[in-house]
Each structure stands twice: as structure tokens, then as C-alpha cells.
Amino acid sequence: MSEHNNHDEPVVEGRVEEGSTAVVSKPIPDPGLEAEAPRYSDVNEAAAKRYTRMVAGLFLLAPLFAIAYVVVYFAIPVDYQIVVSDTQKYPAQNVFLGLTLGLALLAIGVGAVQWGREIMGDHEEAEERHAAASSEDERAEFMAKVDKGIEQANVGRRKVILGSMGVGVGALGLPLIISLGDLGPWPTGKWLDEHYMKTIWAPGVRLVNDVTFTPIRAADLTIGQLVNAEPETLQELDGHDTLVEKSKSAIIIVRMNPNQITIPATRQDWHVNGILCYSKICTHVGCPISLWEQQTHHLLCPCHQSTFDLGNSGVVVFGPASRALPQLPITVDAEGYLVARSGFVDDFGNPLAPGPSYFERDSSTDLTRPRSVEELSEQVGEN
């Protein structure tokens, strides 16, 4: 049972049981907001300075832990372990890297919390909601509030906090920069020459089937046939080295009618009676390709449709690739098996990197379009 009056003030409702007397309470007055007691740091300047030093100290702990991160990165070998038991072993470097970086972030976080609790302005404010669109007056009012917030943050009075926070947050960049070293070696010109420009192809290395590793005899290939192959020496490698060299040294072998293809003067000894060998890796973005059109002598990349004319030095005739497929000079050994004359080279004998193009590589001597024997011979003479 309840009783209502003409006021919006709440009333207490009570249940009336049979045989009992109904009791209706009086309206409860609005108590309003309790008076907020001032913080100790607001009324005691010495306490405010003490909290300021504490917050600044927390912010300045962050660069110390960041420097410790760098020290751990270089001082603790990667193979060191923390042994808890026979079955519980943890990489020591990872543990201490996580600990130092975590403490640096914790110092920044705790410092920011204490700044907000003890130093920033402590005033309760309420405002009515307004429309989403802002007028010029509202924007000016907003900027005034921003300025007021900056003032209440006591940045002007406690400049040491802002400075120490800048040092602390900025120091967190050290672990990030140092960690970039684990993304891989620096791609210097020397490193690129040793790793991209070189493959395990060398004079006398046999061409073998990429699945069975069976040596390939020239007499066994028929016109129009394509074979996926690798260097025989790939079997001598293990693990990561195998994958790296396989990705660079993969080749395709095709046999065409020598009378139906164009052999530049500089490549007359690169083939064996119409048997030619090219890199299997597309020069666009490095996709492996083996879609072979026997009639046109074209090799198509299934990813972005780059098309190479294997009957004319592997030049690009369609698609986004900008470099011809590198050709591997080949010959036969005393037993009639196909072997490499050298690694991948251009028409001038310079090492030629297989795989996709990249901005560091020098492509000035790479073929980019079909050329006649006469034109290529003239360029060879000029160089």
C-alpha cells in the first residue's frame, strides 16, 4: 500500500497485511551531496611537495629499468636458463627482459595514478548533456575547459612531474629500439651480397629432381618437358640452412626446339641443345612458378600473372614483374648429367640474385624486355 503526494519526493511503501493497521511514512528529503573533505595534500604544502617528489621518483625509475633492459639484452647469453626443476626451465634472458620492462611500465603507471590522486585538481563537476554538433561558442568553451584541466593538473606549478614523466616515457623507447635487433640482421650491402647474391650453385654441381633428388640426364628430357629441380648439394645442408638455400636455388628445366627460340650471343654456351634452366622464383614478389605453356614457351606466375618468355632469355612479356627470370648457365658432365657452369649471372658475368626485386639491388644489367641478338651483342661490346 502506498500514498502519493503532489511532490516528486519519494515515499516509503509498506505492505499491509489483513487485520493490521496501515502505516504510511513521510517523504524522504533529498540529502544532496555530502561535503567533500579536502585532501591532505591540498591543505598541507609540505605533503604536496612530498607527493610531488614521490611521483617524479616513480617516473624516473622507468628509465633506470629501461637501461637495465638494455644491459640484460647484451649481458645475458640467449642460451642461459633458470632451472627450477628437471622439467621446469626458463630462458634467463626472456625472464629478466620481461621483468625489467614490466617494472618500467609499472613505475609509469603507479606514478600517473598517484599524480591523479594527490596532485591534480580534486573538484566535482556536473553538466547537462548537449547536442552532438558544437557551435563556435561551445568549442571555445571546450578549449577553456582544456586550459582549466591543464591548470588543475598543476603542471605549471609542479613542472618536475611533467619533465620526469617525459624522461620516463621517452626511455621506454630504448627497449623497443634494442628489440629491433631480433627482427634479423641489418641489411647492409655486404650482408645482401653474401646472402642474396650468392646461392649454392657452383661449377660442376649437378641438377637433381626436387623431390627424388635424382640426377637429370640431358638425353632423358623431351621437347616441351618441364622439370622442377634443385642443386645436388642441397642434401648436405640441415634445418634452417636447407630452407634458405632451397628458396634461393629452386630452378626449372625446360627443353625447347633450338630452332624456335632466341639465344643471345652472350648465352650461346648456357644451354644444352635447347635445354635451358631458369630460377623458379618470380621476380615480382617471390612466388614459386611452374605454369608452363609449351607452344608459346611462356611461364606464368599464378599469383599476379607475370609472364616470362623462356624462349627469349626469360624476359617479362606481361604482368607486374620488372626483371627477367635469372638464367643458370648449364652443361653436361662426362656421364651426360646436367651440371651448372656457375651460379646465376647476367650477360656480363656479374652475380645475379634470384627472387623478387627490392630497392637495394642493382638491376641496371638485368633484362627487362625482349632484345635481339644484335642489340644485346652491341650492349655487351659497350660494357
Side-chain angles (χ1 to χ4, degrees), residues 65-78:
F65 288 124
I67 293 172
Y69 179 101
V70 177
V71 173
V72 168
Y73 183 88
F74 290 104
I76 300 181
V78 177

Side-chain angles (χ1 to χ4, degrees), residues 98-275:
L99 182 63
T100 52
L101 181 58
L103 289 174
L105 294 172
L106 180 64
I108 293 291
V110 174
V113 170
Q114 290 299 103
W115 182 13
R117 291 181 59 185
E118 306 296 345
I119 305 298
M120 290 185 179
D122 184 33
H123 307 286
E124 292 187 356
E125 294 185 3
E127 63 179 0
E128 298 294 333
R129 293 185 177 181
H130 53 78
S134 300
S135 64
E136 290 297 330
D137 293 340
E138 290 172 331
R139 293 176 185 175
E141 181 182 357
F142 172 78
M143 292 308 301
K145 291 180 179 179
V146 171
D147 294 337
K148 182 179 179 181
I150 295 175
E151 180 182 355
Q152 290 181 351
N154 278 327
V155 173
R157 293 180 58 199
R158 318 287 179 182
K159 294 182 179 180
V160 65
I161 290 181
L162 194 61
S164 60
M165 184 182 68
V167 173
V169 174
L172 293 180
L174 283 175
L176 299 179
I177 295 173
I178 293 299
S179 299
L180 291 176
D182 285 336
L183 295 179
W186 293 103
T188 60
K190 181 179 179 182
W191 189 90
L192 290 172
D193 289 342
E194 292 178 352
H195 292 81
Y196 280 133
M197 301 300 290
K198 291 183 179 180
T199 66
I200 57 176
W201 287 112
V205 175
R206 282 183 173 179
L207 284 60
V208 297
N209 184 283
D210 69 341
V211 177
T212 64
F213 281 90
T214 304
I216 300 170
R217 192 187 300 271
D220 295 337
L221 297 178
T222 60
I223 292 179
Q225 184 178 1
L226 180 145
V227 177
N228 294 292
E230 295 281 357
E232 187 176 34
T233 51
L234 185 65
Q235 301 174 90
E236 302 172 3
L237 304 177
D238 295 313
H240 175 73
D241 292 337
T242 301
L243 298 178
V244 171
E245 294 302 332
K246 185 174 184 179
S247 67
K248 296 191 297 180
S249 303
I251 57 171
I252 54 172
I253 306 168
V254 293
R255 184 161 197 170
M256 296 173 280
N257 187 334
N259 299 320
Q260 297 178 353
I261 59 178
T262 301
I263 305 295
T266 54
R267 302 189 182 191
Q268 290 298 318
D269 59 352
W270 288 21
H271 71 105
V272 178
N273 195 26
I275 301 175

Side-chain angles (χ1 to χ4, degrees), residues 40-120:
Y40 186 55
S41 58
D42 291 336
V43 297
N44 189 311
E45 182 62 21
K49 291 181 178 180
R50 186 167 60 251
Y51 282 120
T52 299
R53 290 192 296 270
M54 179 182 67
V55 171
L58 287 168
F59 285 155
L60 292 176
L61 278 177
L64 296 180
F65 288 124
I67 293 172
Y69 179 101
V70 177
V71 173
V72 168
Y73 183 88
F74 290 104
I76 300 181
V78 177
D79 55 351
Y80 275 28
Q81 292 185 328
I82 298 176
V83 180
V84 179
S85 65
D86 292 339
T87 58
Q88 290 182 306
K89 299 179 181 180
Y90 305 96
Q93 189 186 74
N94 289 358
V95 170
F96 286 104
L97 287 178
L99 182 63
T100 52
L101 181 58
L103 289 174
L105 294 172
L106 180 64
I108 293 291
V110 174
V113 170
Q114 290 299 103
W115 182 13
R117 291 181 59 185
E118 306 296 345
I119 305 298
M120 290 185 179

Side-chain angles (χ1 to χ4, degrees), residues 276-341:
L276 297 98
C277 179
Y278 291 94
S279 170
K280 183 181 172 70
I281 309 303
C282 180
T283 58
H284 178 217
V285 290
C287 304
I289 51 178
S290 58
L291 297 179
W292 172 232
E293 292 183 349
Q294 296 183 17
Q295 301 302 318
T296 62
H297 303 152
H298 289 173
L299 190 72
L300 283 74
C301 177
C303 302
H304 305 100
Q305 289 69 56
S306 293
T307 306
F308 306 88
D309 186 359
L310 302 191
N312 188 6
S313 305
V315 296
V316 181
V317 294
F318 181 79
S322 59
R323 297 171 48 232
L325 280 179
Q327 184 176 349
L328 182 72
I330 59 173
T331 185
V332 292
D333 61 13
E335 300 178 48
Y337 291 106
L338 295 174
V339 297
R341 283 183 174 272

